[in-house]
Amino acid sequence: MLDYREAGLTPDDLKEMYRTMHLARRLDERMWLLNRAGKLPFVISCQGQEATQVGAGYALDTAVDVISPYYRDLALVTHFGMTAEETMLFAFAKKGDISSGGKQMPSHFSKKSNNIMTQGSCVATQVLHAVGASFKFKMDDEKRVALTTLGEGSSNQGDFHEGLNFVGVHKLPFICIIENNKYAISVPVELQYGADKLSDRAIGYGIHGEHIDGNDPIAVYKAVKEARERAMNGEGGTIIEAMSTRLTAHSSDDDDSYREKGELKEEDCLMRFKAYIKEYEVADDEWFETLEAEAKKIVTDATKAAEKAPYPDAREALTHVYEEVNNG
C-alpha cells in the first residue's frame, strides 16, 4: 500500500476512512444474516470493495460533487451521508426508504440532499446520468465533478461507450471508476473483454486512464484526487480501473461455486487496511475494539428501527411516479 503521507493524508483521515469501510462491512454482513433468516428478500454485497469506494469518496467534495453509483456501492453512499437506518429501511422496503419509499429493489441508491443521484435498474445507465450532470456543470461553469461507478461487466454495455465518448469530445468534469472484481456474475474476465486493461479504453475516448490497486484505499484516494484536480483545470474526464475483490457471491440469489476454493485468501481490503493502520501506529487494539462496539450498536439500532417501521400504503403505489397536479 502507498504511504499515506505521500498522498497528503493524515492519521485522522485514515481512521475516518477505516470507520466508514468498517461500518459498511458490518451493515452488509447484517443484511446477509437477515436474508438467510428469511427477513430480507435480496442482498447484493459491497464486501471486499469498500477500499475502492471509500478511497474514491474521500477524494471528492461531498458538498458539491455528485455521484451516480451502482448497486454494489454501499460504502460509497455511506460516506456521502446515507445513514445506517436509511440503508435498513430500503433493505426492508419500508415507507421511510429515502431512495424510493419502499417501491424499488434494495441497493437502488438515491438521496438528493446528499448529491446521490437516482439509480436505474439497467446496468450502465448510471454512466449517462453522471455524464449529463457533468455536462451541466461545464455549461454553467460550476466547479464540481460527477463520478460514476460500475463493474467491469457493465463496461461492455453501449451506454458506457457512448457516455465516455461524449466526455472525451466535450472534456467534461467526469470520473468513471470501474470496480473490476473479475466476475460479471459468473463470467470471468477472460470471457468478458480482450484487452489487457480496461483503463486502456481511455485512449480511444481521448481521456486519461489509470489502472490501480482497488484494495488500497490510499491509492484510490490519490488517483481520484488527481482526476478531480484535472477536471477542475478543464482537462476533462478520467477512467480509473480499480482491481478489487468480491468476497461474496454476486448476490444472495447466486451460487458462486464457479470460483476456485481459496481464491479470495488474503484479499480482504478491510483486514489489509487494519494491518496497515496498526503497522503505522495510527491506532491501537483498543481503538478498533471501541469502533467494533460502536458499529454493532449502530447496525442493531438501525435494524430494529427498520423492522418496526411501517410498510408503504397501497394507495402510495403511484406517488412520485406520475406528476401530481393540484386542481384545487
Side-chain angles (χ1 to χ4, degrees):
M1 292 178 67
L2 292 181
D3 187 316
Y4 69 91
R5 292 162 294 198
E6 294 179 8
L9 293 166
T10 68
D12 285 342
D13 291 326
L14 299 189
K15 287 182 176 180
E16 283 306 305
M17 292 169 76
Y18 183 86
R19 185 187 301 276
T20 305
M21 289 171 60
H22 179 262
L23 177 58
R25 176 66 64 86
R26 296 298 176 253
L27 278 167
D28 201 298
E29 291 172 341
R30 179 65 61 86
M31 288 190 286
W32 276 86
L33 288 173
L34 291 165
N35 170 264
R36 295 308 190 238
K39 292 187 176 183
L40 296 184
F42 183 78
V43 178
I44 194 158
S45 183
C46 79
Q47 291 182 44
Q49 297 179 212
E50 298 95 342
T52 294
Q53 296 170 21
V54 174
Y58 211 80
L60 299 177
D61 184 342
T62 58
V64 298
D65 295 335
V66 165
I67 59 170
S68 186
Y70 90 126
Y71 50 74
R72 216 175 283 284
D73 276 337
L74 176 59
L76 176 60
V77 298
T78 298
H79 173 77
F80 259 72
M82 188 82 75
T83 69
E85 185 171 333
E86 287 167 344
T87 293
M88 285 299 175
L89 284 168
F90 75 59
F92 279 97
K94 294 300 182 75
K95 182 175 181 177
D97 165 29
I98 190 69
S99 300
S100 70
K103 298 187 181 75
Q104 187 54 287
M105 286 178 66
S107 299
H108 284 63
F109 308 108
S110 173
K111 191 175 182 183
K112 184 178 180 180
S113 61
N114 289 73
N115 293 330
I116 303 171
M117 296 181 70
T118 298
Q119 180 184 339
S121 293
C122 300
V123 297
T125 54
Q126 72 272 15
V127 176
L128 301 182
H129 303 160
V131 171
S134 67
F135 189 43
K136 188 266 186 192
F137 299 158
K138 180 164 185 178
M139 289 178 66
D140 292 346
D141 196 26
E142 298 181 35
K143 294 298 182 181
R144 50 201 303 212
V145 302
L147 176 141
T148 194
T149 61
L150 70 166
E152 81 286 350
S154 295
S155 74
N156 298 315
Q157 298 292 318
D159 292 343
F160 174 85
H161 301 290
E162 292 173 22
L164 270 296
N165 185 64
F166 194 83
V167 168
V169 169
H170 296 283
K171 292 190 178 300
L172 301 183
F174 173 87
I175 303 170
C176 177
I177 299 182
I178 302 172
E179 297 183 31
N180 191 337
N181 62 30
K182 309 174 197 69
Y183 284 96
I185 306 184
S186 61
V187 182
V189 291
E190 56 266 24
L191 296 178
Q192 292 184 53
Y193 51 86
D196 291 331
K197 295 184 292 184
L198 290 176
S199 55
D200 288 342
R201 289 178 174 175
I203 298 170
Y205 306 128
I207 64 177
H208 185 83
E210 284 193 50
H211 179 91
I212 63 173
D213 179 3
N215 289 321
D216 180 353
I218 300 169
V220 179
Y221 169 83
K222 183 175 182 293
V224 175
K225 180 182 178 183
E226 292 171 353
R228 189 181 190 279
E229 289 171 354
R230 286 192 298 273
M232 292 297 94
N233 292 332
E235 298 173 42
T238 299
I239 295 175
I240 298 171
E241 182 182 14
M243 301 306 295
S244 306
T245 305
R246 194 188 80 196
L247 294 178
T248 67
H250 174 75
S251 73
S252 55
D253 291 348
D254 177 38
D255 173 8
D256 64 344
S257 57
Y258 47 81
R259 299 204 281 193
E260 295 290 334
K261 291 182 179 179
E263 182 180 314
L264 306 178
K265 186 178 180 182
E266 298 180 356
E267 291 191 20
D268 186 338
C269 65
L270 190 68
M271 298 304 296
R272 183 179 171 188
F273 196 31
K274 180 178 181 179
Y276 177 93
I277 289 173
K278 293 176 74 172
E279 177 187 349
Y280 278 82
E281 299 181 346
V282 171
D284 56 18
D285 288 335
E286 183 180 356
W287 183 82
F288 286 107
E289 290 168 5
T290 300
L291 187 67
E292 188 70 55
E294 290 175 353
K296 183 177 181 179
K297 185 178 188 306
I298 291 171
V299 173
T300 298
D301 289 348
T303 303
K304 290 180 178 178
E307 285 188 294
K308 293 177 181 177
Y311 286 101
D313 190 281
R315 291 171 294 183
E316 300 173 26
L318 300 182
T319 304
H320 304 306
V321 175
Y322 295 103
E323 181 181 7
E324 296 178 15
V325 179
N326 186 351
N327 294 319

